[in-house]
Amino acid sequence: MRVEGVRGMRDILPEETPLWQSLEAEIREAFAHWGYREIRVPVVERAELFSRGVGEETEVVDKQMYVFPDRKGLELALRPEATAPVVRAYVEHGLHARGDLAKLYYLGPMFRYEKPQLGRQRQFHQYGVEAIGSPDPALDAEVMDLAWHLMERLELGREGLFLRLNSIGCREDRPAYREALRGYFAAHADALCPECQRRLETNPLRILDCKEEGCRALSRDAPRSADHLCPDCRAHFADVEAHLADLGLAHELDPTLVRGLDYYTRTVFELCSRDLGAQDALLGGGRYNGLVELLGGPPTPAVGFAGGMERLVILLSSRSGAGGSVPDLDLYLVPIGNEAKREGAKVLSALRRAGISADTDYMSRSLRKAMQVAGRSARYAAILGPDELARGQIKLKDLASGEETAVGLAQFTADPRAFIR
Ligand code: AMP
């Protein structure tokens, strides 16, 4: 019986993994240049981490989270995002006690029960940074600079990209803004989807992320968070914009941008691509000045972002004829006969230990077929048959030029790098 994979959870096949690996390497290097160090948090957390941290009313927690009891009945969740886990680890390991800015990054799979479509899956992969410990608006700008830089490294260029920015103020600003939204939406309640009619009572801010067309149309004219900021938040936002201007980073103010997670305060942003269609956000982030305290730590301001790997893969693989046929192996060994096969196994083992990528035929292929495989997969073929064995030699064929040379088997095994460049 064939058992199929789970809907929305994709295999990343060997043809695709080189692109993923190079993307991961670029991301790690960019993050390291900006002073971030990697943290690895578990894929499974207590469900309450997200219901408290991300917010009970958010779509991510309410509709999309994979929640299940363990064998003792403890309610667990597959992580739908990593900011709450990173902050949990920050509090749990007393990173705050070190009194400095903690600059942490992560890469890994996240899980959300969403309707799968291009660029939207149930298991997807995020890369992200969290800078925990400073309220400095220059840090908000630095985080956005890093986001831009990452896209430049990946040669996604500035033309198709744009930065959406907004400020949603602090916890103290929230009640007045919430009331303003409630008043506005209540006057148009008939046009709201049933879900948003409920949100009107519980959390009207979440109406602004609703994807239903009627709700979106209403949201466009809704009261703006930027008009409900206290003087401190207004000054912080002005400073963020000034720092962005200093860094030469263009942005568009988007008053409807609130982001779907409850923990955000003040700055929120998304870096989007005009080439991605409906799912245009490459990455999103902002400040979350209340989250550390909410999860049991001291009051600690923080800012970060997370982006989806799949969306980068879509853009990068549509751009170039990715997955070109560069041979994976340095050498492919073609033994002829049993004795050569046994001798060849020793040669192969030595080559691999010398750092040369090498493989051979285990499918009893004919010489001609084995040479075809060599031609597809390696830069050199090494032919070892009874004649070569009798002379203590091995025949090396440069598969690009076609040039053949017979070399001493002992010398080749002792110092293969002298023959393979
Ligand atoms: P969020 O954690 O919702 O702010 O999302 C941050 C980024 O993660 C988005 O901009 C996307 O690039 C990516 N992302 C979020 N959800 C998914 C998903 N279901 N599938 C693929 N990528 C996603």
Side-chain angles (χ1 to χ4, degrees):
M1 189 187 76
R2 202 168 81 173
V3 180
E4 292 183 353
V6 176
R7 184 166 135 83
M9 306 207 181
R10 274 190 66 233
D11 300 305
I12 300 169
L13 298 174
E15 295 78 51
E16 303 169 80
T17 48
L19 179 56
W20 282 77
Q21 287 168 354
S22 68
L23 263 176
E24 286 159 7
E26 290 288 347
I27 290 170
R28 286 174 192 285
E29 203 171 300
F31 288 173
H33 285 172
W34 258 247
Y36 289 85
R37 295 194 303 156
E38 185 179 6
I39 182 164
R40 299 188 184 197
V41 289
V43 165
V44 173
E45 296 276 358
R46 290 170 187 261
E48 66 172 315
L49 173 66
F50 302 105
S51 47
R52 283 210 287 145
V54 176
E56 205 98 56
E57 277 295 320
T58 59
E59 195 155 280
V60 168
V61 169
D62 186 30
K63 301 252 179 56
Q64 301 176 337
M65 196 155 73
Y66 285 87
V67 183
F68 54 95
D70 75 2
R71 288 180 184 272
K72 289 203 167 144
L74 184 65
E75 204 164 85
L76 301 177
L78 293 181
R79 63 183 187 192
E81 60 97 61
T83 299
V86 168
V87 169
R88 181 211 34 81
Y90 173 90
V91 173
E92 195 167 319
H93 300 287
L95 299 185
H96 54 87
R98 305 187 191 161
D100 202 357
L101 181 64
K103 292 178 102 174
L104 306 167
Y105 82 81
Y106 58 84
L107 285 171
M110 309 292 156
F111 304 85
R112 295 182 193 173
Y113 194 83
E114 302 199 70
K115 196 159 169 240
Q117 52 185 286
L118 185 70
R120 191 162 282 286
Q121 292 168 204
R122 291 181 178 173
Q123 175 175 322
F124 60 103
H125 298 78
Q126 280 189 335
Y127 54 91
V129 297
E130 314 294 354
I132 310 174
S134 168
D136 193 336
L139 184 60
D140 303 43
E142 192 199 78
V143 162
M144 288 182 256
D145 189 42
L146 168 55
W148 271 115
H149 168 73
L150 190 59
M151 300 311 152
E152 285 159 9
R153 276 183 89 97
L154 302 174
E155 292 173 15
L156 288 174
R158 292 195 169 198
E159 316 79 56
L161 298 183
F162 58 102
L163 180 65
R164 279 199 188 113
L165 182 70
N166 192 18
S167 173
I168 55 171
C170 59
R171 220 174 347 184
E172 287 69 40
D173 300 340
R174 204 58 55 82
Y177 182 47
R178 207 176 284 140
E179 280 320 304
L181 285 175
R182 191 171 283 141
Y184 169 79
F185 284 118
H188 303 86
D190 296 350
L192 291 173
C193 72
E195 190 69 25
C196 283
Q197 291 185 0
R198 193 178 58 76
R199 287 180 180 132
L200 201 51
E201 294 312 314
T202 54
N203 192 348
L205 212 73
R206 295 277 71 89
I207 300 176
L208 298 174
D209 342 290
C210 181
K211 312 232 163 42
E212 297 289 329
E213 197 34 61
C215 304
R216 283 176 54 170
L218 275 181
S219 291
R220 284 192 266 277
D221 295 322
R224 301 173 164 209
S225 58
D227 298 330
H228 293 79
L229 301 182
C230 63
D232 283 351
C233 287
R234 211 174 315 132
H236 189 272
F237 193 42
D239 283 347
V240 170
E241 289 201 84
H243 286 296
L244 286 176
D246 290 345
L247 293 170
L249 301 178
H251 61 272
E252 296 173 7
L253 288 181
D254 180 350
T256 65
L257 181 66
V258 289
R259 312 226 355 96
L261 316 173
D262 274 353
Y263 50 63
Y264 285 111
T265 52
R266 293 193 165 171
T267 315
V268 287
F269 64 90
E270 282 182 354
L271 191 58
C272 302
S273 165
R274 298 187 208 283
D275 303 329
L276 270 175
Q279 308 298 326
D280 69 351
L282 279 170
L283 57 84
R287 269 207 167 269
Y288 45 95
N289 289 348
L291 185 60
V292 177
E293 194 178 4
L294 187 70
L295 296 178
T300 311
V303 57
F305 70 70
M309 294 284 291
E310 279 75 7
R311 298 195 188 167
L312 291 179
V313 168
I314 293 171
L315 282 182
L316 292 176
S317 46
S318 68
R319 188 185 62 184
S320 59
S325 58
V326 180
D328 290 332
L329 294 172
D330 294 321
L331 179 139
Y332 194 84
L333 177 78
V334 181
I336 307 166
N338 273 339
E339 202 190 333
K341 197 169 166 190
R342 293 179 60 182
E343 194 57 36
K346 291 194 279 180
V347 175
L348 267 183
S349 177
L351 289 176
R352 290 162 171 164
R353 282 178 171 74
I356 286 173
S357 57
D359 211 347
T360 190
D361 174 52
Y362 288 105
M363 307 304 289
S364 310
R365 289 191 172 90
S366 67
L367 174 61
R368 192 175 62 84
K369 286 268 166 59
M371 286 303 287
Q372 284 174 354
V373 175
R376 283 203 293 276
S377 54
R379 296 190 297 118
Y380 287 87
I383 299 133
L384 192 60
D387 294 350
E388 283 80 17
L389 277 181
R391 288 197 290 270
Q393 290 185 327
I394 188 164
K395 200 170 8 168
L396 270 189
K397 179 170 184 181
D398 181 329
L399 292 163
S401 67
E403 190 189 333
E404 285 188 7
T405 38
V407 302
L409 187 54
Q411 293 103 298
F412 181 61
T413 314
D415 185 15
R417 290 235 167 250
F419 304 93
I420 296 214
R421 286 168 303 277

